[in-house]
Amino acid sequence: MLSALNRAKVIVSQFNTSVTATSNKIATSSIVTARTYTATSTAAMTDTSTYKFNHTMLRVKDPQKSVAFYNHLGMSLVNKFDFPENKFALYFLAFDSPKAASHGKHWTDREGIVELTHNYGTEDDPNYKPHNGNKEPKGFGHLCISVDNIQAACKRIEDAGYRFQKKLTDGRMRHIAFALDPDDYWVEIISQNPVDQTENVTTTDVSTYRENHSMIRIKDPEVSLKFYQDIMGMRLMRTNEAKEAGFNLYFLGYGPPAGDKTANGVNPTAEREGLLELTWNYGTEKEEGKVYHDGNSEPQGFGHICVSVDDLEAACKRLEEKGVSWKKRLTDGRMKNVAFVLDPDGYWIEIIQNERYGKPPGQY
């Protein structure tokens, strides 16, 4: 009998037999829980209200440095999968304190996970550097952490020797900052409390932090919003129009709608986790062809976002009926328990089973 580890995890990089070892690099891999389906499962219904924006995958150079950075932000290693035979490892980090939104849950039943993909040897390669998505070719933008007392939180990050793309005191926007992780991925810092009320507070409690959102740039908001709402089942939580600057931000996610305002006067989604921010720069919808980089062609960096679902086979059947573009169907290749959908801009969306709703026969 297979061990629980071998039963529970498979390698997505093996899904496409036509992919060469060079282009594969194992870097686009993710681990999912194996699941055996019965004939009756194809008729099962899927409920998009149960879906979760599970994780965002980033390739990293040195996992020790990257894990230490996210640990410093208060995230914990909730899962690690090591595959020495294929020379890569995956690290899943999330906020997991008793005050965290997903404390103690199975990794597939969470939102706001950061998956770090490390291909062996990159830490010793002086020429290897993941692409952070904010230099050409652009695409992925940033992760975002919401904190209790933003001034104290930013000072704590800076005191630990980490760099900033934008400090609170830079520019006109004094309510947000952007820290840089060891691979120069941007990590936005926003406040859960009014900034003017936390200015003189010197303490910060990392157990209250949230992995609030992940940002990607989009070409056409009408097309992308329709895709993420009608097809992926997300809800539009908030829209931020910056007309003078020439862009709009759209925040989507699963779960209950966001209110118009909160008791503490900050944005109504600041205490949420697992949101998707779509950034539209005015005029891109008029450009010909593909505008943004998906992160999986060279130069590589960001890999995918992931949605966990109640019934993987039923969810994929629904997506097929919706006419989605596939990177990998469940029936493609040898791996029958993971799928990848392409969004309108070509970003990869991994679809996995949320184990809260069932495990394969022979429970482990």
Side-chain angles (χ1 to χ4, degrees):
M1 182 177 290
L2 292 175
S3 68
L5 180 64
N6 289 332
R7 277 204 311 272
K9 296 172 281 288
V10 295
I11 307 170
V12 171
S13 60
Q14 296 174 350
F15 76 78
N16 192 340
T17 56
S18 68
V19 178
T20 66
T22 300
S23 62
N24 185 345
K25 295 184 178 181
I26 310 298
T28 59
S29 300
S30 182
I31 303 295
V32 297
T33 301
R35 187 181 183 194
T36 301
Y37 296 97
T38 63
T40 57
S41 69
T42 58
M45 299 295 291
T46 182
D47 181 359
T48 59
S49 71
T50 66
Y51 291 9
K52 292 182 181 292
F53 178 9
N54 181 251
H55 69 254
T56 300
M57 187 276 264
L58 304 174
R59 298 172 176 88
V60 300
K61 179 182 177 74
D62 188 327
Q64 290 188 351
K65 292 180 180 179
S66 295
V67 170
F69 172 82
Y70 289 100
N71 283 166
H72 185 73
L73 294 182
M75 303 185 88
S76 301
L77 191 66
V78 295
N79 232 334
K80 180 193 174 188
F81 303 128
D82 209 346
F83 291 84
E85 68 278 14
N86 292 306
K87 298 183 178 180
F88 81 99
L90 305 181
Y91 301 76
F92 292 81
L93 295 111
F95 290 105
D96 195 38
S97 76
K99 297 180 182 178
S102 298
H103 171 62
K105 291 185 177 181
H106 189 273
W107 74 275
T108 60
D109 193 32
R110 291 174 178 266
E111 295 192 292
I113 293 176
V114 178
E115 176 191 351
L116 305 179
T117 295
H118 171 236
N119 293 285
Y120 292 1
T122 55
E123 67 275 24
D124 298 319
D125 182 354
N127 298 315
Y128 181 79
K129 184 176 179 61
H131 182 64
N132 72 4
N134 291 303
K135 299 177 181 178
E136 295 296 342
K138 294 182 178 180
F140 172 76
H142 60 259
L143 303 174
C144 176
I145 306 297
S146 68
V147 303
D148 54 355
N149 305 316
I150 192 168
Q151 294 89 350
C154 288
K155 184 178 187 302
R156 179 177 176 274
I157 294 170
E158 187 173 9
D159 287 349
Y162 293 113
R163 299 165 297 129
F164 280 78
Q165 176 68 26
K166 178 201 177 298
K167 296 182 180 180
L168 285 176
T169 53
D170 295 339
R172 293 178 296 173
M173 294 188 295
R174 302 303 176 95
H175 61 288
I176 61 171
F178 284 89
L180 292 172
D181 88 347
D183 292 293
D184 289 343
Y185 291 114
W186 294 15
V187 180
E188 184 180 13
I189 312 297
I190 65 172
S191 183
Q192 299 170 8
N193 297 303
V195 175
D196 58 352
Q197 295 180 20
T198 60
E199 188 171 3
N200 296 318
V201 179
T202 60
T203 60
T204 182
D205 181 1
V206 297
S207 70
T208 66
Y209 291 9
R210 300 283 189 267
E211 200 287 315
N212 182 254
H213 68 257
S214 298
M215 186 275 266
I216 54 176
R217 297 173 175 89
I218 59 169
K219 174 181 178 177
D220 189 325
E222 183 177 350
V223 174
S224 291
L225 288 171
K226 181 176 177 61
F227 173 84
Y228 281 103
Q229 291 178 98
D230 295 351
I231 295 179
M232 297 309 302
M234 288 185 171
R235 188 192 303 270
L236 181 60
M237 302 290 184
R238 184 168 71 93
T239 299
N240 181 16
E241 295 184 353
K243 294 181 179 179
E244 296 82 3
F247 67 87
N248 286 1
L249 308 177
Y250 305 93
F251 295 86
L252 301 101
Y254 297 105
D260 294 331
K261 54 187 176 182
T262 62
N264 62 11
V266 298
N267 89 63
T269 60
E271 294 186 357
R272 300 288 284 264
E273 68 177 3
L275 298 179
L276 177 66
E277 176 187 351
L278 305 180
T279 294
W280 169 50
N281 292 289
Y282 298 175
T284 53
E285 75 281 6
K286 300 175 183 177
E287 296 183 27
E288 294 293 331
K290 187 175 180 179
V291 173
Y292 293 116
H293 178 58
D294 64 16
N296 291 303
S297 55
E298 295 294 344
Q300 293 185 328
F302 162 79
H304 60 260
I305 61 174
C306 173
V307 173
S308 64
V309 300
D310 56 351
D311 186 304
L312 182 56
E313 192 169 70
C316 288
K317 181 178 180 182
R318 175 184 172 275
L319 291 170
E320 181 75 25
E321 292 171 351
K322 291 282 188 179
V324 300
S325 296
W326 294 94
K327 182 66 182 178
K328 179 207 175 298
R329 290 180 169 86
L330 281 179
T331 53
D332 293 341
R334 290 176 293 168
M335 301 298 107
K336 309 300 184 183
N337 42 22
V338 61
F340 280 88
V341 172
L342 296 176
D343 90 343
D345 290 282
Y347 296 114
W348 296 20
I349 305 174
E350 184 181 16
I351 313 297
I352 64 172
Q353 175 64 40
N354 183 340
E355 286 198 28
R356 173 184 175 185
Y357 298 98
K359 294 183 178 181
Q363 304 255 329
Y364 54 86

